[in-house]
Amino acid sequence: MKPALMLLILIGSFAQAQQVTSFEGIDASVSHSTDHDVDPNGAVGTKQYMEWTNVAFQAYDKVSPHAAVWSAPQAGTSIFRTNKLPNCTNVGGDGIITFDHLALRWVIALRSSPGTNTYYYCVAISSTDDLRSSSLTWYTYEFPLNPVLGKNSKGHVYWPDWPKFGTWADAYYVNFDLNDVDRSYLEIGIVVCALDRTNMLAGLPVRPMQCFSDPDPIPAHGAFYLRHSLIPADVDGLVSPPAGRDEYLVSIQNPPNDGKTTTSDTINLWDFHLDWTSPSNSTFTNSPLSVTPYIPGCYNVTYPPNTYCVPEVSSIKTNNYVDSVGDRLMPRLMYRNFGTYESFLVSHTVQMEATARQTGIRWYELRGSGTPAIYQSGTINPTTFYKLFRFMPSIAQDSAGNAAVGYSVSSKYTHPGIRASWWNLPNQTAPVEVGIIGGEGDEENAIFWGDYTSMTVDPVDDCTFWYVDEYFAQNEIGKEVNWDTRIAHFKVPTCSAKK
């Protein structure tokens, strides 16, 4: 097994020493997970880091030796069971951990299915920023989803897949993909909802959530939806968006599903204008953004949802390739208000060549005080003597304008591991790649890889990046489930902590 704590000293383009610290997060052995879908994500708060994997969460002190807050990972439903919410007792994965920078509160959000063909979205808000506080309590809410999800031609409610959560000044926002359970979970559309953040933070009864769908109305037999998996903007830093600022979301625009086209040159920007006083005035609109042409990672023209092409050392023996999840943009859509300008960052996995499956990381920065537009973009694909696949990214930005993106890496010569790259956005410097941990095993018995990862920024110094991802310390074979997660933190030398 890997050591619990690891320090790496790396030299960046600024010729200054950079220290990367990493330690073990939740592993399958302690979470008692029987699922290969790890869903690793988390957030850094004022005093702790909290991590989610699949159906459980744990928190760790920010200072070494990063002691765990609880003696064992907590069941994802535990808070809701304690508060006696009857419809939040059956978590089905896809939980999200967020630290609300504007309110300094923890948020846990998850999808629940308390009965057949019945779905709820469950949200818990902490009463304090300190998870070790004796006064810690949780305000909990359950939102019925069936009225907004639509039904297929057989009367079955669409499965609310891949929920993604964002903090904005006027609401919490969440997106759901609509998957048809009777057509191999085909994606046929999306639903986006605004939740009453103001009253949730106070533990008060909430106003009804406001939701929009696309298509509208939701069809009973929808076509394959090419712009699925929306990601809401999520605030970093302590400067709120300007008063009245709409929430924005982004999603991919997959190539036409015509069996031959592999390239796209747009992504989607969605504008959610929310009016709590007069809900009929709320609107939800989409506009395409032109970007440098790209091939989605592991794109398969015969079946676009199949994005399994990332090799491992064992792939030549097992013919098993893991999922790049290249058919969508990846969380987070990070938002930061610098005062003189507003910046949004997002990333995804793209194919590096038309004739080769190697993948790299594409990123975009959007700016604009009105409707955001593409300001700059780039691709992370440092040269190696072998074709290293980079995939499953998550991006954030510190208070000095340094971007950092974490991601998984793998190839037929190296076991899956974890790396990150950083660069300065205003100065448009070249990315510097740093290692976090090298894996010592492959996932030989499954194609699922994470689904997503998480890069966040410390709200105290507004400089330190924290990242969580999965890897394997030994081969996973047969019916074994033995994944590991690693939590890392580092600071770019050019960022100075807030006074």
Side-chain angles (χ1 to χ4, degrees), residues 19-31:
Q19 177 176 292
V20 178
T21 301
S22 73
F23 59 96
E24 282 294 277
I26 303 173
D27 298 333
S29 61
V30 295
S31 72

Side-chain angles (χ1 to χ4, degrees), residues 56-365:
F57 61 90
Q58 178 62 282
Y60 309 88
D61 293 336
K62 284 165 56 176
V63 297
S64 183
H66 302 294
V69 171
W70 301 290
S71 59
Q74 304 294 291
T77 58
S78 58
I79 292 170
F80 303 97
R81 289 180 182 273
T82 298
N83 285 8
K84 296 180 169 44
L85 267 65
N87 297 303
C88 296
T89 58
N90 184 23
V91 58
D94 279 323
I96 298 291
I97 300 290
T98 299
F99 189 76
D100 184 333
H101 281 223
L102 301 179
L104 301 181
R105 303 282 195 85
W106 291 101
V107 182
I108 301 175
L110 55 90
R111 174 194 59 223
S112 178
S113 181
T116 303
N117 214 32
T118 303
Y119 307 108
Y120 282 77
Y121 198 58
C122 306
V123 183
I125 315 290
S126 69
S127 62
T128 173
D129 61 336
D130 187 358
L131 296 171
R132 290 190 181 276
S133 172
S134 60
S135 65
L136 172 66
T137 58
W138 294 88
Y139 307 134
T140 49
Y141 298 89
E142 53 183 26
F143 296 92
L145 295 179
N146 280 36
V148 301
L149 295 176
K151 297 180 180 180
N152 66 14
S153 57
K154 295 185 178 181
H156 295 150
V157 178
Y158 288 118
W159 170 256
D161 194 31
W162 219 69
K164 293 296 167 281
F165 189 93
T167 297
W168 204 247
D170 61 2
Y172 292 123
Y173 290 82
V174 60
N175 168 77
F176 304 93
D177 287 344
L178 301 177
N179 290 4
D180 192 334
V181 297
D182 295 303
R183 298 164 65 196
S184 301
Y185 288 84
L186 180 73
E187 292 153 333
I188 62 91
I190 57 92
V191 165
V192 180
C193 297
L195 312 181
D196 185 0
R197 173 176 174 269
T198 299
N199 284 335
M200 293 169 75
L201 286 169
L204 299 174
V206 295
R207 292 167 285 192
M209 60 182 182
Q210 294 192 34
C211 300
F212 290 93
S213 73
D214 191 61
D216 181 18
I218 299 170
H221 189 83
F224 177 50
Y225 189 76
L226 299 177
R227 50 190 184 185
H228 57 81
S229 306
L230 277 62
I231 305 171
D234 188 41
V235 176
D236 270 354
L238 301 180
V239 182
S240 178
R245 184 72 155 133
D246 288 354
E247 165 71 316
Y248 291 92
L249 305 90
V250 291
S251 71
I252 200 170
Q253 179 63 43
N254 279 293
N257 188 22
D258 56 11
K260 59 182 180 180
T261 305
T262 62
T263 302
S264 179
D265 60 4
T266 57
I267 61 174
N268 291 286
L269 179 70
W270 304 80
D271 182 333
F272 197 136
H273 173 72
L274 179 64
D275 189 329
W276 284 116
T277 304
S278 300
S280 60
N281 292 334
S282 296
T283 58
F284 183 63
T285 55
N286 166 257
S287 57
L289 297 176
S290 296
V291 298
T292 303
Y294 62 90
I295 302 173
C298 299
Y299 192 73
N300 186 326
V301 294
T302 60
Y303 187 60
N306 177 350
T307 51
Y308 320 136
C309 80
V310 177
E312 307 170 284
V313 174
S314 60
S315 293
I316 192 170
K317 174 186 69 176
T318 64
N319 199 34
N320 185 67
Y321 295 81
V322 298
D323 192 356
S324 73
V325 195
D327 64 335
R328 63 198 68 195
L329 301 181
M330 300 299 287
R332 305 160 54 235
L333 173 60
M334 184 239 68
Y335 168 88
R336 185 177 285 274
N337 185 354
F338 286 97
T340 55
Y341 69 94
E342 301 169 72
S343 177
F344 299 78
L345 277 181
V346 72
S347 60
H348 64 133
T349 303
V350 296
Q351 194 166 302
M352 297 312 304
E353 303 172 31
T355 57
R357 306 306 297 275
Q358 183 192 5
T359 59
I361 307 301
R362 172 71 65 82
W363 60 269
Y364 310 97
E365 183 187 15

